[in-house]
Amino acid sequence: ITSSSSTSSVPSSSSRIKFYPAAAARKQTRKINKYVEFQLEKVKFCIFLDQEVFGNVFSVKTSKMICLCSLIYVLLFIGSFCLIGLLTVFLLLRLLIRNQKNKRRCNNDNDKYVALFHPYCNAGGGGERVLWCAVRALQNKYDGIKLYIYTGDLEATKKEILDKAERTFNLSLDTKNINFVYLKRRKWVEASRYPYFTLLGQSIGSMVLAMEALLN
């Protein structure tokens, strides 16, 4: 009886509780803590990365908007400044042209004045024939009309130009009422001056030459 009771009081191997030694328990606890810390670091890194990415995107967009607004303000300022400058130049030119007209106006209001712009009037070609035929037609239609021809032929005098025109084109001109205004910047429209971008250079040069003609 004693042996049987002692045997029945001992628990079976399947129902025994498994106990770890203290060192093994501490080691297992450290592993668990490291794993938890590693997972927490991963979560923190992901949150930090998201903040950096979205923050950088937002900062880039903000900087682009600021640069665009600044560029618009600068362009508006430059445009308004250029517009004011152009208006000022236009008004000054208008006043200068009006003063030049008043200087050349005679006391007789019935006199007629015609200005012709031809920088190469002494060349003797087909374009010059058109010019001198137009001069003759104006003189035939309007008695006493005063003609001013803007030319760049600085080396030729009035008499030399008119004699060559009458001799070359067989025309009879009223030389008394023909006057020449000499332009010193004719070289600005010559093609030899612009080896590159010739048409653009001649266009700008023609504006410079026309400005000189308006101011003379």
Side-chain angles (χ1 to χ4, degrees):
I1 296 171
T2 304
S3 61
S4 62
S5 62
S6 61
T7 304
S8 61
S9 62
V10 177
S12 62
S13 60
S14 60
S15 61
R16 288 178 183 177
I17 299 174
K18 189 176 182 180
F19 293 98
Y20 290 96
R26 287 195 296 271
K27 186 176 181 181
Q28 190 70 17
T29 304
R30 284 197 296 270
K31 287 183 179 180
I32 294 172
N33 291 335
K34 287 182 179 180
Y35 178 76
V36 172
E37 289 177 359
F38 177 72
Q39 295 297 329
L40 289 174
E41 290 294 331
K42 286 176 64 177
V43 173
K44 290 180 180 179
F45 177 75
C46 291
I47 294 173
F48 174 76
L49 186 62
D50 292 340
Q51 289 178 351
E52 286 292 322
V53 171
F54 288 109
N56 290 334
V57 171
F58 180 74
S59 61
V60 169
K61 288 184 178 179
T62 305
S63 61
K64 285 184 178 180
M65 290 296 294
I66 293 173
C67 292
L68 182 61
C69 293
S70 302
L71 181 62
I72 291 173
Y73 289 147
V74 171
L75 291 176
L76 287 175
F77 176 76
I78 295 174
S80 59
F81 183 77
C82 292
L83 182 61
I84 293 172
L86 289 175
L87 289 175
T88 305
V89 171
F90 175 76
L91 292 175
L92 289 175
L93 286 176
R94 185 179 177 85
L95 291 174
L96 288 173
I97 293 170
R98 183 175 295 177
N99 290 332
Q100 293 293 332
K101 286 182 178 179
N102 292 332
K103 288 180 181 179
R104 291 180 179 176
R105 185 173 297 170
C106 297
N107 294 327
N108 189 2
D109 294 333
N110 294 325
D111 290 343
K112 295 179 176 61
Y113 298 87
V114 175
L116 301 170
F117 182 80
H118 199 298
Y120 297 91
C121 69
N122 197 35
E128 289 69 41
R129 181 178 180 84
V130 174
L131 169 69
W132 295 114
C133 287
V135 169
R136 183 57 185 161
L138 288 170
Q139 288 181 342
N140 290 335
K141 186 172 183 179
Y142 303 101
D143 293 333
I145 188 172
K146 298 184 182 299
L147 298 171
Y148 290 88
I149 299 175
Y150 289 84
T151 179
D153 297 309
L154 302 176
E155 69 281 356
T157 62
K158 173 183 175 180
K159 186 177 185 305
E160 291 174 351
I161 295 174
L162 294 175
D163 289 343
K164 183 177 179 179
E166 290 179 341
R167 184 176 62 255
T168 303
F169 305 117
N170 193 21
L171 296 173
S172 178
L173 301 173
D174 182 10
T175 60
K176 180 178 60 177
N177 291 324
I178 298 177
N179 298 294
F180 291 93
V181 180
Y182 291 95
L183 304 175
K184 299 179 181 179
R185 293 180 175 83
R186 189 181 69 177
K187 58 184 179 181
W188 284 68
V189 298
E190 295 177 356
S192 59
R193 187 179 178 88
Y194 310 100
Y196 304 101
F197 303 103
T198 307
L199 292 177
L200 178 61
Q202 286 182 309
S203 299
I204 298 173
S206 64
M207 290 189 288
V208 175
L209 189 62
M211 186 70 65
E212 182 187 2
L214 288 173
L215 297 177
N216 286 332

